[in-house]
Amino acid sequence: GQQLNQSPQSMFIQEGEDVSMNCTSSSIFNTWLWYKQDPGEGPVLLIALYKAGELTSNGRLTAQFGITRKDSFLNISASIPSDVGIYFCAGLRGSNYKLTFGKGTLLTVNP
Amino acid sequence: NAGVTQTPKFRVLKTGQSMTLLCAQDMNHEYMYWYRQDPGMGLRLIHYSVGEGTTAKGEVPDGYNVSRLKKQNFLLGLESAAPSQTSVYFCASSDPGGLRQETQYFGPGTRLLVL
Protein backbone atom coordinates (compact mmCIF):
# COMPACT_ATOMS: atom_id res chain seq x y z
CA GLY A 1 0.00 0.00 0.00
CA GLN A 2 0.90 3.65 -0.02
CA GLN A 3 3.50 4.72 2.47
CA LEU A 4 4.58 7.99 3.95
CA ASN A 5 8.16 8.26 5.15
CA GLN A 6 8.24 10.55 8.15
CA SER A 7 11.45 11.82 9.69
CA PRO A 8 12.97 12.08 12.12
CA GLN A 9 11.48 9.26 14.18
CA SER A 10 12.26 11.15 17.39
CA MET A 11 13.72 14.43 18.55
CA PHE A 12 14.98 15.59 21.91
CA ILE A 13 15.37 19.35 22.10
CA GLN A 14 15.77 22.18 24.58
CA GLU A 15 12.92 24.57 25.30
CA GLY A 16 13.09 27.56 22.97
CA GLU A 17 14.62 25.68 20.05
CA ASP A 18 12.98 25.43 16.65
CA VAL A 19 11.92 22.04 15.29
CA SER A 20 11.51 20.76 11.77
CA MET A 21 10.09 17.45 10.58
CA ASN A 22 8.99 16.19 7.19
CA CYS A 23 7.11 13.56 5.26
CA THR A 24 7.88 12.21 1.82
CA SER A 25 6.09 9.80 -0.46
CA SER A 26 6.52 8.16 -3.84
CA SER A 27 2.85 8.97 -4.54
CA ILE A 28 1.10 12.27 -5.12
CA PHE A 29 -1.35 13.48 -2.51
CA ASN A 30 -4.01 16.15 -2.95
CA THR A 31 -4.18 17.07 0.71
CA TRP A 32 -1.58 16.96 3.45
CA LEU A 33 -2.50 17.02 7.11
CA TRP A 34 -0.48 17.31 10.29
CA TYR A 35 -1.80 15.85 13.54
CA LYS A 36 -0.48 15.94 17.10
CA GLN A 37 -1.07 13.23 19.65
CA ASP A 38 -0.62 14.06 23.32
CA PRO A 39 0.34 11.19 25.62
CA GLY A 40 -2.70 9.03 26.32
CA GLU A 41 -4.94 10.90 23.89
CA GLY A 42 -6.15 10.61 20.32
CA PRO A 43 -4.59 12.62 17.45
CA VAL A 44 -5.79 16.19 16.95
CA LEU A 45 -5.56 18.05 13.64
CA LEU A 46 -3.05 20.93 13.63
CA ILE A 47 -2.84 22.09 10.02
CA ALA A 48 -4.40 21.09 6.70
CA LEU A 49 -2.81 21.90 3.33
CA TYR A 50 -4.76 21.81 0.06
CA LYS A 51 -2.54 23.19 -2.70
CA ALA A 52 0.97 22.49 -3.91
CA GLY A 53 3.30 25.17 -2.57
CA GLU A 54 0.83 26.28 0.10
CA LEU A 55 2.38 27.60 3.29
CA THR A 56 0.07 27.71 6.31
CA SER A 57 0.65 28.79 9.90
CA ASN A 58 -1.14 28.01 13.13
CA GLY A 59 0.47 29.98 15.94
CA ARG A 60 4.06 28.80 16.29
CA LEU A 61 3.47 26.03 13.75
CA THR A 62 4.11 26.40 10.04
CA ALA A 63 3.55 23.71 7.44
CA GLN A 64 4.13 23.57 3.70
CA PHE A 65 2.71 21.44 0.90
CA GLY A 66 5.58 20.49 -1.38
CA ILE A 67 5.60 21.64 -5.01
CA THR A 68 5.84 18.07 -6.27
CA ARG A 69 2.81 17.11 -4.07
CA LYS A 70 4.90 14.25 -2.72
CA ASP A 71 6.15 15.89 0.45
CA SER A 72 5.32 18.22 3.30
CA PHE A 73 7.13 19.67 6.27
CA LEU A 74 6.16 21.03 9.67
CA ASN A 75 8.14 23.62 11.64
CA ILE A 76 7.60 24.51 15.27
CA SER A 77 9.26 27.71 16.44
CA ALA A 78 10.36 28.52 19.99
CA SER A 79 9.33 25.15 21.41
CA ILE A 80 7.72 24.90 24.84
CA PRO A 81 7.22 21.88 27.13
CA SER A 82 3.59 21.40 26.05
CA ASP A 83 4.79 20.72 22.49
CA VAL A 84 5.76 17.25 23.70
CA GLY A 85 3.93 14.50 21.84
CA ILE A 86 3.85 12.52 18.63
CA TYR A 87 3.39 14.42 15.39
CA PHE A 88 1.87 12.59 12.43
CA CYS A 89 1.67 13.57 8.83
CA ALA A 90 -1.20 12.21 6.77
CA GLY A 91 -2.01 12.33 3.08
CA LEU A 92 -5.27 12.15 1.19
CA ARG A 93 -5.68 11.24 -2.47
CA GLY A 94 -8.61 12.39 -4.60
CA SER A 95 -12.06 11.81 -3.18
CA ASN A 96 -10.92 8.82 -1.18
CA TYR A 97 -11.41 9.78 2.44
CA LYS A 98 -9.00 7.18 3.71
CA LEU A 99 -5.95 8.89 5.11
CA THR A 100 -2.46 7.44 4.82
CA PHE A 101 -0.47 8.19 7.97
CA GLY A 102 3.25 8.50 8.54
CA LYS A 103 4.74 6.59 11.47
CA GLY A 104 5.11 9.70 13.57
CA THR A 105 7.82 11.89 15.08
CA LEU A 106 8.16 11.72 18.87
CA LEU A 107 9.10 15.14 20.21
CA THR A 108 10.55 15.61 23.67
CA VAL A 109 11.20 19.12 24.97
CA ASN A 110 13.59 19.57 27.86
CA PRO A 111 12.61 22.57 30.03
CA ASN B 1 -20.90 17.94 21.93
CA ALA B 2 -18.91 15.04 23.30
CA GLY B 3 -17.33 14.46 19.90
CA VAL B 4 -16.05 10.91 19.51
CA THR B 5 -16.23 8.65 22.55
CA GLN B 6 -14.90 5.13 23.00
CA THR B 7 -15.70 2.42 25.50
CA PRO B 8 -14.05 0.78 27.29
CA LYS B 9 -10.91 2.83 27.95
CA PHE B 10 -8.87 -0.20 28.93
CA ARG B 11 -9.38 -3.94 28.80
CA VAL B 12 -7.39 -7.08 29.49
CA LEU B 13 -8.35 -10.25 27.63
CA LYS B 14 -7.12 -13.79 27.62
CA THR B 15 -6.21 -15.40 24.31
CA GLY B 16 -9.34 -16.72 22.63
CA GLN B 17 -11.79 -14.43 24.38
CA SER B 18 -14.05 -12.15 22.44
CA MET B 19 -14.99 -8.55 22.96
CA THR B 20 -16.58 -5.55 21.28
CA LEU B 21 -15.23 -2.02 21.27
CA LEU B 22 -17.83 0.70 20.96
CA CYS B 23 -17.36 4.02 19.21
CA ALA B 24 -19.99 6.74 19.30
CA GLN B 25 -20.04 10.18 17.68
CA ASP B 26 -22.56 12.97 18.11
CA MET B 27 -21.47 15.12 15.17
CA ASN B 28 -23.75 13.42 12.62
CA HIS B 29 -20.70 12.36 10.60
CA GLU B 30 -21.20 10.01 7.70
CA TYR B 31 -17.78 8.32 7.75
CA MET B 32 -16.29 6.38 10.63
CA TYR B 33 -12.99 4.54 11.00
CA TRP B 34 -11.17 2.11 13.26
CA TYR B 35 -7.38 2.30 13.57
CA ARG B 36 -4.83 0.48 15.63
CA GLN B 37 -1.66 2.11 16.88
CA ASP B 38 1.45 0.14 17.68
CA PRO B 39 4.90 1.46 18.66
CA GLY B 40 6.86 2.51 15.59
CA MET B 41 3.99 1.66 13.25
CA GLY B 42 1.88 4.78 13.32
CA LEU B 43 -1.86 4.49 12.72
CA ARG B 44 -3.11 1.64 10.58
CA LEU B 45 -6.65 1.47 9.27
CA ILE B 46 -8.55 -1.68 10.27
CA HIS B 47 -12.03 -1.08 8.85
CA TYR B 48 -14.07 1.91 7.88
CA SER B 49 -17.65 2.83 7.05
CA VAL B 50 -18.97 5.40 4.59
CA GLY B 51 -22.50 5.27 5.93
CA GLU B 52 -25.03 3.47 8.07
CA GLY B 53 -25.19 -0.19 7.12
CA THR B 54 -21.93 -0.16 5.14
CA THR B 55 -18.45 -1.32 6.07
CA ALA B 56 -15.21 -1.87 4.18
CA LYS B 57 -11.80 -3.36 4.88
CA GLY B 58 -8.80 -1.20 5.58
CA GLU B 59 -5.12 -2.02 5.69
CA VAL B 60 -5.15 -4.62 8.51
CA PRO B 61 -8.66 -6.15 8.74
CA ASP B 62 -7.79 -9.75 9.63
CA GLY B 63 -9.10 -10.91 13.00
CA TYR B 64 -11.60 -8.06 13.28
CA ASN B 65 -15.22 -7.52 12.32
CA VAL B 66 -17.25 -4.33 12.37
CA SER B 67 -20.85 -3.21 12.23
CA ARG B 68 -22.52 0.15 11.61
CA LEU B 69 -26.17 -0.44 12.44
CA LYS B 70 -26.71 3.14 13.51
CA LYS B 71 -25.10 6.21 11.99
CA GLN B 72 -23.67 7.37 15.29
CA ASN B 73 -22.13 4.06 16.33
CA PHE B 74 -19.33 1.94 14.91
CA LEU B 75 -18.52 -1.33 16.64
CA LEU B 76 -15.25 -3.25 16.38
CA GLY B 77 -15.35 -6.91 17.32
CA LEU B 78 -12.62 -9.38 18.14
CA GLU B 79 -14.05 -12.91 17.88
CA SER B 80 -11.01 -14.73 19.23
CA ALA B 81 -8.39 -12.40 20.66
CA ALA B 82 -4.70 -13.05 20.04
CA PRO B 83 -1.64 -11.47 21.71
CA SER B 84 -0.83 -9.80 18.37
CA GLN B 85 -3.99 -7.75 18.84
CA THR B 86 -2.55 -6.04 21.90
CA SER B 87 -2.64 -2.42 20.82
CA VAL B 88 -4.28 0.94 21.27
CA TYR B 89 -7.43 1.25 19.18
CA PHE B 90 -8.68 4.59 17.92
CA CYS B 91 -11.99 5.41 16.39
CA ALA B 92 -12.43 8.45 14.15
CA SER B 93 -15.19 10.11 12.18
CA SER B 94 -15.39 12.62 9.35
CA ASP B 95 -18.02 14.56 7.45
CA PRO B 96 -17.61 14.19 3.66
CA GLY B 97 -20.12 16.95 2.98
CA GLY B 98 -18.66 19.41 5.45
CA LEU B 99 -16.35 22.37 5.02
CA ARG B 100 -13.37 20.44 6.39
CA GLN B 101 -14.33 17.17 4.77
CA GLU B 102 -10.90 15.62 5.07
CA THR B 103 -10.63 16.22 8.81
CA GLN B 104 -10.92 13.10 10.91
CA TYR B 105 -11.86 13.56 14.56
CA PHE B 106 -10.40 10.96 16.87
CA GLY B 107 -11.63 9.41 20.08
CA PRO B 108 -9.42 9.03 23.17
CA GLY B 109 -8.51 5.41 22.42
CA THR B 110 -9.04 1.98 23.94
CA ARG B 111 -6.01 0.20 25.34
CA LEU B 112 -6.27 -3.55 24.87
CA LEU B 113 -3.93 -6.12 26.36
CA VAL B 114 -4.28 -9.73 25.26
CA LEU B 115 -2.50 -12.25 27.47
Side-chain angles (χ1 to χ4, degrees):
Chain A
Q2 304 162 29
Q3 288 196 356
L4 293 181
N5 300 310
Q6 186 171 350
S7 64
Q9 288 185 343
S10 63
M11 301 182 75
F12 187 91
I13 61 172
Q14 295 295 123
E15 183 177 358
E17 290 183 355
D18 297 343
V19 172
S20 183
M21 58 191 79
N22 68 81
C23 263
T24 61
S25 173
S26 58
S27 302
I28 289 174
F29 288 94
N30 295 327
T31 301
W32 282 94
L33 307 170
W34 285 92
Y35 281 83
K36 183 195 177 193
Q37 183 180 24
D38 289 328
E41 303 291 332
V44 174
L45 183 68
L46 296 173
I47 292 179
L49 301 159
Y50 304 100
K51 296 180 184 178
E54 180 181 354
L55 186 71
T56 298
S57 293
N58 178 7
R60 292 178 296 105
L61 278 62
T62 302
Q64 185 159 26
F65 192 143
I67 291 292
T68 65
R69 296 165 65 192
K70 294 182 179 180
D71 61 349
S72 178
F73 72 76
L74 175 71
N75 284 344
I76 305 173
S77 63
S79 60
I80 59 177
S82 62
D83 290 334
V84 164
I86 303 176
Y87 292 79
F88 290 101
C89 63
L92 184 66
R93 301 182 68 188
S95 59
N96 182 342
Y97 292 100
K98 291 186 292 179
L99 292 176
T100 300
F101 282 87
K103 294 184 178 180
T105 295
L106 174 62
L107 178 63
T108 303
V109 179
N110 191 31
Chain B
N1 280 355
V4 179
T5 58
Q6 294 181 232
T7 53
K9 286 185 169 52
F10 178 70
R11 184 77 182 267
V12 179
L13 288 180
K14 294 182 180 178
T15 296
Q17 286 185 320
S18 63
M19 79 163 293
T20 300
L21 283 67
L22 172 64
C23 176
Q25 52 95 4
D26 61 3
M27 297 175 284
N28 201 35
H29 285 174
E30 203 67 38
Y31 289 12
M32 296 187 74
Y33 313 80
W34 275 108
Y35 293 89
R36 60 178 289 172
Q37 183 178 30
D38 303 291
M41 298 296 291
L43 290 158
R44 293 183 292 170
L45 183 65
I46 304 172
H47 285 279
Y48 65 102
S49 168
V50 299
E52 182 179 318
T54 73
T55 63
K57 294 181 180 180
E59 183 185 352
V60 288
D62 294 342
Y64 305 95
N65 57 76
V66 288
S67 64
R68 183 98 181 268
L69 298 179
K70 293 182 179 180
K71 186 177 183 178
Q72 64 267 35
N73 296 336
F74 195 28
L75 278 63
L76 178 71
L78 285 73
E79 291 186 349
S80 179
S84 61
Q85 293 178 305
T86 293
S87 187
V88 182
Y89 292 87
F90 288 100
C91 176
S93 70
S94 66
D95 179 13
L99 189 62
R100 301 293 297 273
Q101 56 191 225
E102 74 294 328
T103 301
Q104 291 187 16
Y105 296 86
F106 284 82
T110 293
R111 283 144 186 81
L112 177 64
L113 174 63
V114 183
L115 301 175

